[in-house]
Amino acid sequence: MNSKERLLNMRVANRKRVMVTGGAGFLGSHLCERLLEDGCDVLCVDNFYSGTKDNVAHLMSNPHYELIRHDVTFPLYVEVDEIYNLACPASPIHYQWDPVQTTKTSVHGAINMLGLAKRTKAKILQASTSEVYGDPEVHPQQESYWGHVNPVGIRSCYDEGKRCAETLFFDYYRQHGLEIKVVRIFNTYGPRMHPNDGRVVSNFIVQALRGDDITIYGDGLQTRSFCYVDDLIEGFVRMMGSPKDVTGPINMGNPVEFTIRELAETVLKMVGGKSKLVFKPLPQDDPKQRQPNITLARETLGWEPRVRLEAGLEKTVGYFRNFLAL
């Protein structure tokens, strides 16, 4: 074996094998892209319930990328070094369509992925959510807050499913010594969002581009904090690379708070046109305010968002403008 072959074998041996469940979704596709850029072998797992092959079509020619159609509620037998568990529909329209399956995806999916991590001794990251805080009575929300969640409401399949998944992660950590990482994602936006996912950023942009009235639920004074997708993915990678004793949960989101009405007006100004604001009743259990305290992420990971809302919205508007023109 010559020196060139030995160097090639060393590179192959040192290349991390990373699995991303929900890898064809909005966040998952960006994560797969980043991991490939970082020199990983990437196994993307998705059942295409809310994800789409279009999100990862540009990755298919990469020899270090592999796509498997699989539902995480069933066991998967592969060999991996790291697991990012993102599988679960994340928008109300999608997760309320089949709420039983949503709960199973969070709970059974966590059990199956934790079992895989235990067998392969892989590090595993759980993509949890700010929805574990419910309609919070503490503002901004910090990780020590236990939440204010309706366990029997129409959002419970997602909220409680994610809370139970966190429970399972920490029980595997305590009982089996598994290396876990738990991040709580706050509102994230960017290219490859589903145009019909019912989330405010994609809703407002698509309505404005089509010249439709922009629908605001409630009085528009409820608040959200919007994190651009590239910033979030950077947080994921830093969390996975953190020391073993850094388990989380850690909030990841943009602490700059906006009202829903401010977001709608910003999108209108950016897109132009003659769309008007239309107000409709607030859905059940819709949180009145959402803002992350990211002190822990700053101090532990040296992470905070860099992309300002206007800059991120410009890229997202450009994506949807091209998408709708197809």
Side-chain angles (χ1 to χ4, degrees):
M1 183 183 295
N2 60 37
S3 60
K4 186 174 181 180
E5 289 173 330
R6 281 196 298 270
L7 179 61
L8 180 61
N9 285 341
M10 286 176 61
R11 286 177 178 171
V12 170
N14 293 331
R15 190 180 286 271
K16 282 192 298 187
R17 300 164 299 177
V18 185
M19 184 171 80
V20 180
T21 70
F26 162 49
L27 296 181
S29 62
H30 284 276
L31 178 58
C32 287
E33 201 170 61
R34 168 63 186 271
L35 293 170
L36 288 168
E37 290 172 2
D38 288 350
C40 300
D41 270 325
V42 177
L43 174 60
C44 172
V45 176
D46 208 297
N47 67 350
F48 303 111
Y49 177 76
S50 56
T52 169
K53 288 183 180 178
D54 291 338
N55 286 340
V56 293
H58 64 295
L59 304 178
M60 297 298 289
S61 60
N62 191 315
H64 299 291
Y65 175 83
E66 184 179 358
L67 174 64
I68 294 179
R69 182 191 291 268
H70 181 80
D71 186 331
V72 295
T73 62
F74 297 93
L76 181 62
Y77 301 99
V78 293
E79 302 303 318
V80 292
D81 302 308
E82 295 177 353
I83 301 167
Y84 289 83
N85 187 36
L86 275 60
C88 189
S91 74
I93 286 178
H94 291 149
Y95 69 63
Q96 290 173 14
W97 178 256
D98 189 345
V100 172
Q101 183 64 24
T102 296
T103 303
K104 288 173 67 177
T105 300
S106 286
V107 178
H108 292 190
I111 291 170
N112 288 328
M113 293 306 105
L114 287 163
L116 175 61
K118 180 185 173 187
R119 181 181 67 79
T120 60
K121 296 180 173 56
K123 286 195 289 186
I124 181 167
L125 180 145
Q126 167 66 7
S128 191
T129 172
S130 61
E131 297 301 325
V132 300
Y133 299 122
D135 189 3
E137 297 172 318
V138 171
H139 191 74
Q141 294 80 58
Q142 61 189 42
E143 293 86 354
S144 60
Y145 176 53
W146 290 356
H148 177 231
V149 177
N150 178 0
V152 294
I154 60 173
R155 300 169 69 96
S156 306
C157 57
Y158 185 69
D159 301 0
E160 297 288 26
K162 289 288 190 177
R163 285 163 68 95
C164 185
E166 286 195 15
T167 299
L168 287 162
F169 265 69
F170 278 90
D171 283 339
Y172 265 78
Y173 168 71
R174 287 184 288 259
Q175 187 172 340
H176 301 295
L178 210 62
E179 188 168 357
I180 66 164
K181 312 287 180 181
V182 176
V183 298
R184 291 175 176 166
I185 304 167
F186 284 68
N187 294 66
T188 305
Y189 70 99
R192 300 186 205 137
M193 293 184 80
H194 196 291
N196 300 315
D197 67 5
R199 295 189 237 191
V200 286
V201 173
S202 50
N203 263 11
F204 290 173
I205 292 174
V206 169
Q207 288 173 336
L209 287 171
R210 288 174 171 164
D212 299 334
D213 289 338
I214 291 183
T215 306
I216 294 179
Y217 295 95
D219 57 13
L221 299 181
Q222 64 270 38
T223 65
R224 296 292 185 273
S225 305
F226 302 102
C227 183
Y228 189 64
V229 61
D230 288 356
D231 283 332
L232 184 74
I233 298 306
E234 174 66 24
F236 279 4
V237 172
R238 290 194 188 194
M239 184 63 170
M240 184 64 91
S242 64
K244 187 172 183 178
D245 62 347
V246 178
T247 60
I250 288 183
N251 289 338
M252 285 190 180
N254 196 320
V256 180
E257 193 176 18
F258 295 89
T259 67
I260 296 300
R261 181 161 189 154
E262 285 175 325
L263 175 68
E265 290 169 347
T266 301
V267 169
L268 265 179
K269 183 178 179 181
M270 193 172 288
V271 173
K274 299 180 180 180
S275 299
K276 297 178 182 178
L277 303 184
V278 175
F279 296 85
K280 294 188 177 181
L282 196 67
Q284 179 187 340
D285 297 330
D286 196 63
K288 309 295 188 303
Q289 51 190 6
R290 183 74 84 226
Q291 181 189 21
N293 179 323
I294 62 167
T295 301
L296 190 57
R298 284 192 180 110
E299 294 178 350
T300 306
L301 306 174
W303 176 87
E304 63 182 329
R306 303 292 183 187
V307 180
R308 294 174 60 86
L309 180 64
E310 292 77 7
L313 284 177
E314 283 183 9
K315 294 180 181 180
T316 310
V317 167
Y319 167 80
F320 278 112
R321 200 184 295 278
N322 292 334
F323 181 89
L324 295 175
L326 295 177

